[in-house]
Amino acid sequence: MAVAIGAGALALARPGSLDTLLLYAVLAQSWNLIGGLAGYASFGQVVFFGVGGYLTALAMVRLGLSFYLAMPLGGLGAALFGLAVGDLVLRVRGLYFAVATLVLAGATKAVLSSWPGLAGPSGVLTITTVGLHQPTARPGPLGFDAVYLALAAVSTAGVSVLVRSRLGDSLAVIRDDEDLAGALGIAVRPAKVAAFSLSGALAGLAGGVYAFQVTALSPAVLFAPLLSVVMVAAVVAGGAGVLGPLRGAVLLWLLSAGVGSLAPELRDVLVASLIVAVVLVEEGR
Amino acid sequence: MNLFFLALGFGVVTASVLALASVGLSLQFGVTNFVNFAYGAYLAFGMFFTYTLDVTAHVPFWLAAVVATLLTGLVSVVVDRLVIEPFVRRRTSPFFLLIVTFGLQLVLLNVIQAVWGVGFESFTTGTGTPLHLGPFSITGDQLGIVVLAVVAMVLVHLLLTRTTLGKSMRAMSDDSSLAKVSGIDTGRVTMWTWFVSGCLAGLGGITLALNTVSFQAYTGNTFLFVIFAAVILGGIGQIYGAMLGALCIGLAVELSGLWIPGAYKLDVAFGVLVLALLLRPQGLIATVGKA
């Protein structure tokens, strides 16, 4: 563990490696909104990342919009998607919610994989970054770091405002005892759907930036299982609240950067194993 | 009408694949009381063990499938012993076990990719020419899938109703502590449950690969949401419910192909699940409380 963290610290020196940390931070705050604050553990949160990513790319490729307009549109689209499906999946709690969200992500990925008009015959949607037709000049590594940093800051500020708000209070009661919340006259369903939709917006925005960063998009890229797992694990490892998800993101990033630099080909296996180990440590406390 | 019978035939085949996989998942949940999110990887083990025996070692396909099924059951037991049981022994909550198996899915899928690569493979059986049985038209492979599923379901039924092991499984499913104080060796029953669950996952994977013809490491994982739809529809942990759920989802998926583009047919599974959640949410929540 110490070796991994040490190697991770070394990776800090490499320019452009911060993007992964900041991406993890945004995703952790996204999961925090629904899994941490509302107590609804979503195992399909990656669906918002995918929807936001595809919408951003489509707005850039089909409509020729600037990235800086397309990304907020992607986030908005993901939020609306959360609004539309939230009312359905949030009717069930606990294990059933976990499975329902997993099924939602799987089904959405299946639609996007087989949508004839979405990408060319290759199944890969590409954002043009060279030539005259590129909608926005692609920022360098530091540019992406800056966008992710802004997103992470906005997410964290948003969460800290939210926990102090009326909605935050409602969510806290819902998390502790949903039936009590209903009895107290809290509008339970709108509060839950709002949290789900906001969490969707954050993941959707992150998906938009990621889409522009990788440019060649397929469902396998935007619905990567690793991201799914990282979102859940960051909050479980770091705790909910405002700063907990950031702690979790840092921990997971240090571990993944560490094992990644030691054994790149085994990165996913090791990260996943470490996540299991982190859960073990958390449970033991 | 011809198209209808064609779709009906495919529906029965898809339902058969689903039934094998769903019963394995539901049985394990019933006995151990937590969901295995890594289940999709077990399907991949079934596919790739068969692939190695069939394509690389030139073993006859049916023998390769039998051995692969048993090997997948063994993998399931080993993974349970090495990874999951230590958590269970520490009385880890079902919610944390969910996260453990969620992470485990990533580990297992990456192990499969490391061993067998990331490309698409297929078995040596080929697609075969369609057989015409009355109004139905299916390939020999597909007919085999249906027969296999029916035989497996009858065996599961006999296991649960006629054997001491099966009765113990049902007892643990009803009340694990009561089963334990009644003198049932719950550790042994749990081990056999993982074995049977793994075997059914392996069979589900092999039949899925036969039905889709080409497959890769993530094929089973991609199909997982359909399996969950069937399991939830039947009531999670309910073995016979899983069979019924598989039949409903399988038929709904294939028959929907008559009206909507085939590319979207798997999403009908999600539609059916949402409908089920809307129509009887109280019945679905009942088994497990808040995670």
Short mmCIF file of all heavy atoms in Angstrom, two decimals, chain B residues 174-222:
data_model
loop_
_atom_site.label_atom_id
_atom_site.label_comp_id
_atom_site.label_asym_id
_atom_site.label_seq_id
_atom_site.Cartn_x
_atom_site.Cartn_y
_atom_site.Cartn_z
N ASP B 174 -35.30 -19.85 3.32
CA ASP B 174 -36.41 -19.37 4.16
C ASP B 174 -35.89 -18.67 5.41
O ASP B 174 -36.33 -17.58 5.77
CB ASP B 174 -37.31 -20.54 4.58
CG ASP B 174 -38.16 -21.01 3.43
OD1 ASP B 174 -38.29 -20.26 2.45
OD2 ASP B 174 -38.69 -22.14 3.51
N ASP B 175 -34.96 -19.29 6.10
CA ASP B 175 -34.45 -18.74 7.35
C ASP B 175 -33.11 -19.39 7.67
O ASP B 175 -33.06 -20.52 8.16
CB ASP B 175 -35.46 -18.98 8.49
CG ASP B 175 -35.07 -18.22 9.75
OD1 ASP B 175 -33.85 -17.97 9.93
OD2 ASP B 175 -35.96 -17.90 10.54
N SER B 176 -32.04 -18.64 7.42
CA SER B 176 -30.70 -19.19 7.53
C SER B 176 -30.35 -19.59 8.96
O SER B 176 -29.77 -20.66 9.19
CB SER B 176 -29.71 -18.15 6.99
OG SER B 176 -28.42 -18.59 7.16
N SER B 177 -30.72 -18.76 9.95
CA SER B 177 -30.36 -19.09 11.33
C SER B 177 -31.14 -20.30 11.83
O SER B 177 -30.60 -21.15 12.53
CB SER B 177 -30.60 -17.91 12.28
OG SER B 177 -30.92 -16.76 11.59
N LEU B 178 -32.40 -20.35 11.43
CA LEU B 178 -33.24 -21.48 11.83
C LEU B 178 -32.66 -22.77 11.24
O LEU B 178 -32.61 -23.80 11.89
CB LEU B 178 -34.68 -21.26 11.36
CG LEU B 178 -35.71 -22.25 11.88
CD1 LEU B 178 -35.80 -22.18 13.39
CD2 LEU B 178 -37.09 -21.97 11.27
N ALA B 179 -32.21 -22.66 9.96
CA ALA B 179 -31.63 -23.82 9.30
C ALA B 179 -30.40 -24.29 10.07
O ALA B 179 -30.17 -25.49 10.26
CB ALA B 179 -31.25 -23.48 7.86
N LYS B 180 -29.62 -23.33 10.54
CA LYS B 180 -28.37 -23.66 11.23
C LYS B 180 -28.65 -24.36 12.56
O LYS B 180 -28.05 -25.40 12.86
CB LYS B 180 -27.57 -22.38 11.47
CG LYS B 180 -26.11 -22.65 11.80
CD LYS B 180 -25.29 -21.38 11.66
CE LYS B 180 -23.81 -21.70 11.77
NZ LYS B 180 -23.00 -20.53 11.43
N VAL B 181 -29.59 -23.81 13.36
CA VAL B 181 -29.88 -24.44 14.65
C VAL B 181 -30.60 -25.77 14.47
O VAL B 181 -30.61 -26.59 15.38
CB VAL B 181 -30.70 -23.52 15.60
CG1 VAL B 181 -29.92 -22.29 15.96
CG2 VAL B 181 -32.05 -23.17 15.00
N SER B 182 -31.18 -25.99 13.29
CA SER B 182 -31.83 -27.27 13.02
C SER B 182 -30.81 -28.34 12.64
O SER B 182 -31.18 -29.46 12.30
CB SER B 182 -32.86 -27.15 11.90
OG SER B 182 -33.74 -26.11 12.17
N GLY B 183 -29.53 -27.98 12.66
CA GLY B 183 -28.49 -28.97 12.40
C GLY B 183 -28.04 -29.06 10.96
O GLY B 183 -27.29 -29.96 10.59
N ILE B 184 -28.46 -28.12 10.12
CA ILE B 184 -28.00 -28.13 8.73
C ILE B 184 -26.59 -27.54 8.68
O ILE B 184 -26.31 -26.52 9.30
CB ILE B 184 -28.96 -27.31 7.84
CG1 ILE B 184 -30.29 -28.04 7.70
CG2 ILE B 184 -28.35 -27.06 6.46
CD1 ILE B 184 -31.36 -27.27 6.95
N ASP B 185 -25.70 -28.24 7.97
CA ASP B 185 -24.33 -27.76 7.80
C ASP B 185 -24.35 -26.62 6.77
O ASP B 185 -24.18 -26.85 5.57
CB ASP B 185 -23.45 -28.92 7.34
CG ASP B 185 -21.98 -28.50 7.19
OD1 ASP B 185 -21.70 -27.29 7.30
OD2 ASP B 185 -21.15 -29.39 6.96
N THR B 186 -24.58 -25.39 7.24
CA THR B 186 -24.82 -24.28 6.31
C THR B 186 -23.58 -23.98 5.45
O THR B 186 -23.73 -23.55 4.31
CB THR B 186 -25.23 -23.01 7.06
OG1 THR B 186 -24.31 -22.75 8.10
CG2 THR B 186 -26.62 -23.12 7.65
N GLY B 187 -22.39 -24.19 6.00
CA GLY B 187 -21.16 -23.95 5.22
C GLY B 187 -21.12 -24.85 4.00
O GLY B 187 -20.81 -24.42 2.89
N ARG B 188 -21.46 -26.13 4.22
CA ARG B 188 -21.42 -27.10 3.13
C ARG B 188 -22.51 -26.76 2.09
O ARG B 188 -22.27 -26.80 0.89
CB ARG B 188 -21.64 -28.51 3.69
CG ARG B 188 -21.24 -29.61 2.74
CD ARG B 188 -21.47 -30.97 3.37
NE ARG B 188 -22.17 -31.84 2.43
CZ ARG B 188 -23.48 -32.01 2.40
NH1 ARG B 188 -24.25 -31.39 3.28
NH2 ARG B 188 -24.04 -32.79 1.50
N VAL B 189 -23.70 -26.42 2.57
CA VAL B 189 -24.79 -26.09 1.66
C VAL B 189 -24.44 -24.85 0.85
O VAL B 189 -24.70 -24.78 -0.36
CB VAL B 189 -26.11 -25.88 2.44
CG1 VAL B 189 -27.22 -25.41 1.50
CG2 VAL B 189 -26.51 -27.15 3.15
N THR B 190 -23.80 -23.84 1.51
CA THR B 190 -23.39 -22.63 0.81
C THR B 190 -22.41 -22.97 -0.31
O THR B 190 -22.53 -22.47 -1.44
CB THR B 190 -22.74 -21.64 1.78
OG1 THR B 190 -23.65 -21.36 2.84
CG2 THR B 190 -22.37 -20.34 1.08
N MET B 191 -21.44 -23.86 0.01
CA MET B 191 -20.45 -24.23 -0.99
C MET B 191 -21.12 -24.89 -2.21
O MET B 191 -20.83 -24.53 -3.34
CB MET B 191 -19.44 -25.19 -0.38
CG MET B 191 -18.20 -25.37 -1.22
SD MET B 191 -17.19 -26.71 -0.60
CE MET B 191 -18.10 -28.12 -1.21
N TRP B 192 -22.03 -25.83 -1.96
CA TRP B 192 -22.73 -26.49 -3.06
C TRP B 192 -23.61 -25.51 -3.84
O TRP B 192 -23.79 -25.64 -5.05
CB TRP B 192 -23.55 -27.68 -2.55
CG TRP B 192 -22.69 -28.87 -2.34
CD1 TRP B 192 -22.27 -29.38 -1.14
CD2 TRP B 192 -22.08 -29.68 -3.35
NE1 TRP B 192 -21.45 -30.46 -1.35
CE2 TRP B 192 -21.31 -30.67 -2.69
CE3 TRP B 192 -22.09 -29.68 -4.76
CZ2 TRP B 192 -20.57 -31.65 -3.38
CZ3 TRP B 192 -21.36 -30.64 -5.44
CH2 TRP B 192 -20.61 -31.61 -4.76
N THR B 193 -24.16 -24.52 -3.12
CA THR B 193 -24.99 -23.52 -3.80
C THR B 193 -24.15 -22.74 -4.80
O THR B 193 -24.57 -22.53 -5.94
CB THR B 193 -25.59 -22.54 -2.77
OG1 THR B 193 -26.35 -23.29 -1.84
CG2 THR B 193 -26.46 -21.51 -3.45
N TRP B 194 -22.95 -22.34 -4.37
CA TRP B 194 -22.08 -21.61 -5.30
C TRP B 194 -21.69 -22.50 -6.47
O TRP B 194 -21.57 -22.03 -7.61
CB TRP B 194 -20.82 -21.10 -4.58
CG TRP B 194 -21.07 -19.85 -3.81
CD1 TRP B 194 -21.25 -19.74 -2.47
CD2 TRP B 194 -21.21 -18.52 -4.34
NE1 TRP B 194 -21.49 -18.43 -2.12
CE2 TRP B 194 -21.47 -17.66 -3.24
CE3 TRP B 194 -21.16 -17.98 -5.62
CZ2 TRP B 194 -21.67 -16.29 -3.39
CZ3 TRP B 194 -21.35 -16.60 -5.77
CH2 TRP B 194 -21.60 -15.79 -4.66
N PHE B 195 -21.51 -23.80 -6.20
CA PHE B 195 -21.14 -24.71 -7.29
C PHE B 195 -22.28 -24.80 -8.32
O PHE B 195 -22.06 -24.64 -9.52
CB PHE B 195 -20.80 -26.09 -6.73
CG PHE B 195 -20.39 -27.07 -7.79
CD1 PHE B 195 -19.14 -26.95 -8.40
CD2 PHE B 195 -21.23 -28.08 -8.21
CE1 PHE B 195 -18.75 -27.82 -9.40
CE2 PHE B 195 -20.86 -28.96 -9.21
CZ PHE B 195 -19.61 -28.84 -9.80
N VAL B 196 -23.50 -25.02 -7.82
CA VAL B 196 -24.64 -25.15 -8.73
C VAL B 196 -24.88 -23.83 -9.47
O VAL B 196 -25.11 -23.81 -10.68
CB VAL B 196 -25.92 -25.59 -7.95
CG1 VAL B 196 -27.12 -25.57 -8.87
CG2 VAL B 196 -25.72 -26.96 -7.35
N SER B 197 -24.77 -22.71 -8.72
CA SER B 197 -24.95 -21.39 -9.33
C SER B 197 -23.92 -21.17 -10.44
O SER B 197 -24.24 -20.70 -11.53
CB SER B 197 -24.83 -20.31 -8.25
OG SER B 197 -24.70 -19.04 -8.83
N GLY B 198 -22.66 -21.53 -10.15
CA GLY B 198 -21.59 -21.38 -11.14
C GLY B 198 -21.82 -22.25 -12.36
O GLY B 198 -21.63 -21.82 -13.50
N CYS B 199 -22.26 -23.52 -12.14
CA CYS B 199 -22.55 -24.42 -13.26
C CYS B 199 -23.64 -23.84 -14.15
O CYS B 199 -23.53 -23.86 -15.38
CB CYS B 199 -22.99 -25.79 -12.75
SG CYS B 199 -21.65 -26.75 -12.04
N LEU B 200 -24.70 -23.33 -13.51
CA LEU B 200 -25.80 -22.76 -14.30
C LEU B 200 -25.34 -21.52 -15.06
O LEU B 200 -25.73 -21.29 -16.20
CB LEU B 200 -26.99 -22.44 -13.40
CG LEU B 200 -27.77 -23.66 -12.90
CD1 LEU B 200 -28.71 -23.30 -11.77
CD2 LEU B 200 -28.55 -24.29 -14.06
N ALA B 201 -24.47 -20.70 -14.41
CA ALA B 201 -23.92 -19.52 -15.10
C ALA B 201 -23.09 -19.97 -16.29
O ALA B 201 -23.19 -19.40 -17.38
CB ALA B 201 -23.07 -18.70 -14.14
N GLY B 202 -22.29 -21.02 -16.09
CA GLY B 202 -21.47 -21.55 -17.18
C GLY B 202 -22.34 -22.00 -18.34
O GLY B 202 -22.09 -21.65 -19.50
N LEU B 203 -23.39 -22.77 -18.02
CA LEU B 203 -24.31 -23.23 -19.06
C LEU B 203 -24.99 -22.05 -19.75
O LEU B 203 -25.14 -22.03 -20.98
CB LEU B 203 -25.39 -24.14 -18.45
CG LEU B 203 -25.04 -25.60 -18.23
CD1 LEU B 203 -26.21 -26.31 -17.57
CD2 LEU B 203 -24.70 -26.26 -19.56
N GLY B 204 -25.38 -21.05 -18.93
CA GLY B 204 -25.99 -19.84 -19.50
C GLY B 204 -25.03 -19.17 -20.47
O GLY B 204 -25.42 -18.74 -21.56
N GLY B 205 -23.76 -19.10 -20.10
CA GLY B 205 -22.75 -18.48 -20.95
C GLY B 205 -22.54 -19.25 -22.24
O GLY B 205 -22.50 -18.67 -23.33
N ILE B 206 -22.43 -20.59 -22.11
CA ILE B 206 -22.19 -21.42 -23.30
C ILE B 206 -23.37 -21.31 -24.27
O ILE B 206 -23.18 -21.13 -25.48
CB ILE B 206 -21.97 -22.90 -22.89
CG1 ILE B 206 -20.72 -23.01 -22.01
CG2 ILE B 206 -21.84 -23.78 -24.11
CD1 ILE B 206 -20.61 -24.31 -21.26
N THR B 207 -24.60 -21.38 -23.73
CA THR B 207 -25.77 -21.30 -24.61
C THR B 207 -25.91 -19.90 -25.20
O THR B 207 -26.29 -19.75 -26.36
CB THR B 207 -27.06 -21.68 -23.86
OG1 THR B 207 -27.15 -20.92 -22.65
CG2 THR B 207 -27.09 -23.15 -23.51
N LEU B 208 -25.55 -18.87 -24.40
CA LEU B 208 -25.59 -17.50 -24.93
C LEU B 208 -24.62 -17.35 -26.10
O LEU B 208 -24.95 -16.79 -27.14
CB LEU B 208 -25.24 -16.50 -23.81
CG LEU B 208 -25.18 -15.03 -24.22
CD1 LEU B 208 -26.56 -14.53 -24.64
CD2 LEU B 208 -24.64 -14.17 -23.08
N ALA B 209 -23.41 -17.92 -25.92
CA ALA B 209 -22.40 -17.84 -26.97
C ALA B 209 -22.86 -18.59 -28.22
O ALA B 209 -22.64 -18.14 -29.34
CB ALA B 209 -21.08 -18.40 -26.47
N LEU B 210 -23.52 -19.75 -28.01
CA LEU B 210 -24.04 -20.52 -29.16
C LEU B 210 -25.09 -19.71 -29.90
O LEU B 210 -25.14 -19.71 -31.13
CB LEU B 210 -24.68 -21.82 -28.66
CG LEU B 210 -23.78 -23.02 -28.45
CD1 LEU B 210 -24.61 -24.18 -27.91
CD2 LEU B 210 -23.11 -23.43 -29.76
N ASN B 211 -25.92 -19.01 -29.13
CA ASN B 211 -27.03 -18.27 -29.72
C ASN B 211 -26.56 -17.00 -30.44
O ASN B 211 -27.10 -16.63 -31.47
CB ASN B 211 -28.06 -17.93 -28.63
CG ASN B 211 -29.44 -17.67 -29.21
OD1 ASN B 211 -29.78 -18.19 -30.27
ND2 ASN B 211 -30.21 -16.86 -28.53
N THR B 212 -25.54 -16.32 -29.88
CA THR B 212 -25.05 -15.10 -30.51
C THR B 212 -23.93 -15.39 -31.51
O THR B 212 -23.46 -14.49 -32.19
CB THR B 212 -24.51 -14.09 -29.47
OG1 THR B 212 -23.47 -14.72 -28.74
CG2 THR B 212 -25.59 -13.63 -28.52
N VAL B 213 -23.47 -16.67 -31.56
CA VAL B 213 -22.42 -17.17 -32.45
C VAL B 213 -21.04 -16.62 -32.09
O VAL B 213 -20.13 -17.39 -31.80
CB VAL B 213 -22.73 -16.92 -33.93
CG1 VAL B 213 -21.62 -17.51 -34.81
CG2 VAL B 213 -24.07 -17.56 -34.31
N SER B 214 -20.82 -15.28 -32.07
CA SER B 214 -19.49 -14.82 -31.67
C SER B 214 -19.59 -14.12 -30.32
O SER B 214 -20.63 -13.56 -29.97
CB SER B 214 -18.89 -13.89 -32.72
OG SER B 214 -19.47 -12.62 -32.64
N PHE B 215 -18.50 -14.20 -29.55
CA PHE B 215 -18.55 -13.69 -28.17
C PHE B 215 -17.18 -13.18 -27.75
O PHE B 215 -16.16 -13.54 -28.36
CB PHE B 215 -18.98 -14.80 -27.21
CG PHE B 215 -18.10 -16.02 -27.24
CD1 PHE B 215 -17.03 -16.14 -26.36
CD2 PHE B 215 -18.32 -17.03 -28.16
CE1 PHE B 215 -16.20 -17.26 -26.40
CE2 PHE B 215 -17.50 -18.14 -28.19
CZ PHE B 215 -16.43 -18.26 -27.33
N GLN B 216 -17.16 -12.35 -26.73
CA GLN B 216 -15.88 -11.94 -26.12
C GLN B 216 -16.09 -11.81 -24.61
O GLN B 216 -17.15 -12.16 -24.09
CB GLN B 216 -15.32 -10.67 -26.77
CG GLN B 216 -16.30 -9.53 -27.00
CD GLN B 216 -16.10 -8.40 -26.05
OE1 GLN B 216 -16.72 -8.37 -25.01
NE2 GLN B 216 -15.25 -7.45 -26.42
N ALA B 217 -15.05 -11.32 -23.91
CA ALA B 217 -15.07 -11.35 -22.44
C ALA B 217 -16.29 -10.64 -21.86
O ALA B 217 -16.83 -11.06 -20.85
CB ALA B 217 -13.78 -10.72 -21.91
N TYR B 218 -16.75 -9.56 -22.52
CA TYR B 218 -17.82 -8.76 -21.95
C TYR B 218 -19.23 -9.20 -22.39
O TYR B 218 -20.21 -8.61 -21.96
CB TYR B 218 -17.61 -7.27 -22.29
CG TYR B 218 -16.64 -6.60 -21.36
CD1 TYR B 218 -15.28 -6.65 -21.58
CD2 TYR B 218 -17.10 -5.95 -20.21
CE1 TYR B 218 -14.38 -6.06 -20.70
CE2 TYR B 218 -16.23 -5.35 -19.33
CZ TYR B 218 -14.86 -5.40 -19.58
OH TYR B 218 -14.00 -4.83 -18.70
N THR B 219 -19.30 -10.23 -23.25
CA THR B 219 -20.61 -10.64 -23.76
C THR B 219 -21.58 -11.00 -22.63
O THR B 219 -22.73 -10.58 -22.63
CB THR B 219 -20.45 -11.84 -24.73
OG1 THR B 219 -19.56 -11.46 -25.77
CG2 THR B 219 -21.78 -12.25 -25.34
N GLY B 220 -21.09 -11.76 -21.66
CA GLY B 220 -21.94 -12.16 -20.55
C GLY B 220 -22.33 -10.97 -19.68
O GLY B 220 -23.46 -10.85 -19.22
N ASN B 221 -21.36 -10.08 -19.47
CA ASN B 221 -21.61 -8.91 -18.63
C ASN B 221 -22.64 -7.97 -19.26
O ASN B 221 -23.45 -7.37 -18.58
CB ASN B 221 -20.29 -8.16 -18.41
CG ASN B 221 -20.25 -7.49 -17.07
OD1 ASN B 221 -20.64 -8.09 -16.07
ND2 ASN B 221 -19.82 -6.24 -17.05
N THR B 222 -22.60 -7.88 -20.60
CA THR B 222 -23.56 -7.04 -21.31
C THR B 222 -24.97 -7.61 -21.19
O THR B 222 -25.94 -6.88 -21.16
CB THR B 222 -23.15 -6.93 -22.79
OG1 THR B 222 -21.79 -6.49 -22.85
CG2 THR B 222 -24.02 -5.96 -23.55
#
